[in-house]
Amino acid sequence: MEQYVIKGGTPLVGEVEIGGAKNAALGILAASIMTDETVLISNMPDVRDTNIMLQAMENIGVLIKRIDRHTVEINASRIHSQVIEGDYVKRIRASYYLLGALLGKYKQGTVVFPGGCAIGARPIDQHIKGFKALGADVDIAHGMVNAKASALKAAHIYMDVVTVGATINVMMASVMAEGQTIIENAAKEPHVVDVANFLNSMGANIKGAGTDVIRIKGVERLHRSEYMIIPDQIEAGTFMFAAAVTKGDITVKNVIPKHLESISAKLIEIGCEVQESDDEVRVVASKRLSHTQVKTLPYPGFPTDMQPQITVALALGQGISIVTESIFENRFKYVDELTRMGANVKVEGNTAIIDGVQKYTGAEITAPDLRAGAALVLAGLSAEGYTLIDDVKYIERGYEDFPEKLQNLGAKIARVDSERDVQKFKLRVG
Ligand code: UD1
């Protein structure tokens, strides 16, 4: 029983240090196996997804040395298998990055068909299209994806949808291909740029990451590197919304404010004060939130990974708000849980119509996936009374020390394993 128990109603106040970006880390870890020389990666978040990725790498012979909690040294010169399998890897969607990395380095790879959060059908057709364009044969059999090429040759690839995963994967597969690969309609997310910068630090020749056309000139080999992962845009955004929903005052530190602009803009629209400086953003919420409309879009649009958090805030705002989810078709599952807490939200297709209520009331709820789980924690923090959240293992896939960081801001929250722990918490917080 992995649960969080929360007593809501306390405004969160103080400073919080944001960790390295999980989604960048997953791409960077996979890319690190593309050289036989040693790579040192810092600002690595210590979360379940990155740890599963490291375990998958270790299982094929990659040497991993943990220098400290957030720094790993990686040496992939002794890889003995290009097959990534096992139930534990299926749980992370980003395991497919190992396919691009193995294909790019060894011209072959086999990876268990990826799982990840249940937020909608998550096809990998664009990854496969890219690998095939580079000259690989790709087939899916017995739950495994196999890619193999006698030689990888540069190609001109137009992505039919803007996809972070396929952009990163095809970028990795093409860094040592012969000639210049062009990816059009590429994703522009900060973590796409971070993986490209990391590959370039290993000697790759990638230009245009962060725009919708990425050009990759194949190089012979990649070499050693030392690299620091960018701060996590979504962890930062989650704490910014924690200030909004608890009427608090939080300074999120160690961030890149540019990556948070779409989030800051919405917070300002709904009545929060947002102050930006070099590497921190302060959010102050002193009055009831108001309403707005928001549609999730690829970067620099409002991130789909912040959709549950903004919905939780708008459901407390005055007036009618509309949230449209345009990236994943099944990302409103948490709304049923929010309704148990008193929210008034109606979902029709990919749109949520929200009639803001004055307050939530604590309830027993379940985290359906990573970001929705975090958003429900925010709801619990603002609610009257106690909230018990089940299945927090989803939240721990992507948030390091979430309860502890919230406690430092004054939140009454604890991770509990038994009914006895819940009772002890209640006695303690009163
Ligand atoms: C990544 C993030 C995830 C985030 C998402 C969108 C990681 C590990 N996960 O997921 O947190 O929510 O970006 O910012 O970085 N699609 C296809 N065919 C494909 C690939 C994707 O049709 O081959 C579609 C998807 O169904 C979705 C859209 O493209 O509708 C975007 O998906 P994508 O950007 O690839 O998401 P992920 O990389 O899986």
Side-chain angles (χ1 to χ4, degrees):
M1 184 167 87
E2 296 154 313
Q3 297 178 316
Y4 291 159
V5 59
I6 300 168
K7 182 169 187 208
T10 311
L12 300 195
V13 177
E15 296 181 341
V16 60
E17 197 76 35
I18 299 306
K22 172 194 78 110
N23 288 345
L26 293 166
I28 286 170
L29 284 176
S32 73
I33 71 164
M34 297 187 74
T35 174
D36 281 345
E37 296 182 17
T38 300
V39 166
L40 186 77
I41 300 169
S42 57
N43 207 28
M44 170 73 58
D46 181 16
V47 292
R48 223 174 261 197
D49 275 14
T50 51
N51 289 326
I52 290 178
M53 190 70 154
L54 285 163
Q55 194 188 334
M57 289 159 59
E58 242 171 355
N59 286 355
I60 57 165
V62 179
L63 300 175
I64 313 271
K65 195 164 137 197
R66 287 187 186 267
I67 308 296
D68 60 40
R69 190 175 178 198
H70 299 122
T71 312
V72 278
E73 198 179 80
I74 293 164
N75 184 290
S77 60
R78 293 196 208 150
I79 287 183
H80 52 68
S81 161
Q82 282 93 43
V83 182
I84 309 284
E85 58 193 337
D87 270 354
Y88 73 102
V89 221
K90 231 191 307 186
R91 274 184 255 135
I92 59 162
R93 174 127 194 105
S95 52
Y96 58 36
Y97 287 146
L98 290 167
L99 190 57
L102 288 167
L103 179 65
K105 185 181 184 191
Y106 298 107
K107 315 280 179 280
Q108 62 173 332
T110 302
V111 173
V112 66
F113 200 91
C117 272
I119 53 179
R122 296 181 81 172
I124 57 164
D125 57 306
Q126 299 303 306
H127 303 240
I128 294 175
K129 170 174 144 170
F131 295 156
K132 282 187 172 165
L134 295 168
D137 288 323
V138 185
D139 67 273
I140 301 174
H142 309 293
M144 307 290 284
V145 192
N146 310 290
K148 195 172 181 165
S150 47
L152 290 170
K153 294 229 160 64
H156 196 137
I157 300 157
Y158 193 97
M159 294 287 176
D160 299 326
V161 286
V162 179
T163 139
V164 172
T167 301
I168 291 179
N169 229 346
V170 173
M171 209 161 67
M172 288 195 293
S174 62
V175 283
M176 289 186 272
E178 214 182 298
Q180 177 174 250
T181 296
I182 300 177
I183 306 176
E184 303 237 27
N185 199 23
K188 297 181 279 202
E189 267 67 3
H191 40 295
V192 174
V193 180
D194 210 32
V195 178
N197 286 342
F198 172 62
L199 285 163
N200 283 342
S201 80
M202 291 199 295
N205 185 343
I206 303 173
K207 296 216 165 76
T211 74
D212 44 25
V213 185
I214 301 181
R215 292 185 164 78
I216 306 135
K217 271 199 190 131
V219 296
E220 290 264 302
R221 54 185 286 280
L222 299 180
H223 55 67
R224 61 176 301 121
S225 167
E226 288 184 12
Y227 195 80
M228 184 191 264
I229 296 171
I230 53 164
D232 198 301
Q233 174 203 26
I234 307 299
E235 188 195 8
T238 303
F239 280 100
M240 290 164 75
F241 270 93
V245 300
T246 65
K247 292 210 181 75
D249 177 350
I250 300 179
T251 301
V252 293
K253 296 175 76 94
N254 181 34
V255 296
I256 300 174
K258 174 95 194 126
H259 295 166
L260 302 169
E261 274 174 357
S262 63
I263 298 165
S264 300
K266 282 293 157 198
L267 284 166
I268 293 166
E269 264 179 56
I270 60 174
C272 299
E273 198 186 317
V274 179
Q275 296 162 8
E276 285 177 9
S277 51
D278 278 358
D279 63 353
E280 54 185 57
V281 175
R282 178 178 175 201
V283 179
V284 186
S286 46
K287 54 180 193 287
R288 186 171 177 202
L289 302 173
S290 66
H291 59 96
T292 191
Q293 302 204 356
V294 60
K295 182 176 183 177
T296 62
L297 286 170
Y299 189 82
F302 192 85
T304 173
D305 283 358
M306 287 300 300
Q307 182 262 98
Q309 297 88 321
I310 195 170
T311 301
V312 163
L314 294 176
L316 287 173
Q318 189 156 29
I320 308 278
S321 292
I322 294 179
V323 176
T324 308
E325 171 58 59
S326 80
I327 312 288
F328 294 110
E329 75 272 19
N330 197 8
R331 215 169 184 177
F332 282 120
K333 277 191 299 186
Y334 64 91
V335 164
D336 286 346
E337 305 299 300
L338 206 54
T339 307
R340 281 176 210 269
M341 303 179 73
N344 189 353
V345 181
K346 191 168 163 214
V347 177
E348 280 184 7
N350 67 345
T351 303
I353 301 147
I354 302 162
D355 189 359
V357 293
Q358 285 280 356
K359 62 171 175 20
Y360 295 129
T361 50
E364 290 196 15
I365 52 176
T366 302
D369 62 67
L370 165 60
R371 305 302 172 186
L376 291 171
V377 170
L378 302 193
L381 291 167
S382 80
E384 186 182 284
Y386 292 98
T387 295
L388 193 64
I389 304 189
D390 236 327
D391 276 352
V392 299
K393 59 177 189 285
Y394 287 117
I395 301 171
E396 292 171 356
R397 285 184 43 192
Y399 290 87
E400 181 180 312
D401 295 343
F402 198 38
E404 291 78 7
K405 287 186 180 184
L406 290 165
Q407 281 161 7
N408 287 340
L409 295 166
K412 292 174 179 150
I413 179 170
R415 192 180 197 282
V416 289
D417 276 332
S418 63
E419 183 51 36
R420 209 163 144 251
D421 286 350
V422 174
Q423 292 312 327
K424 272 207 291 206
F425 173 84
K426 288 186 175 173
L427 278 175
R428 184 158 50 83
V429 303

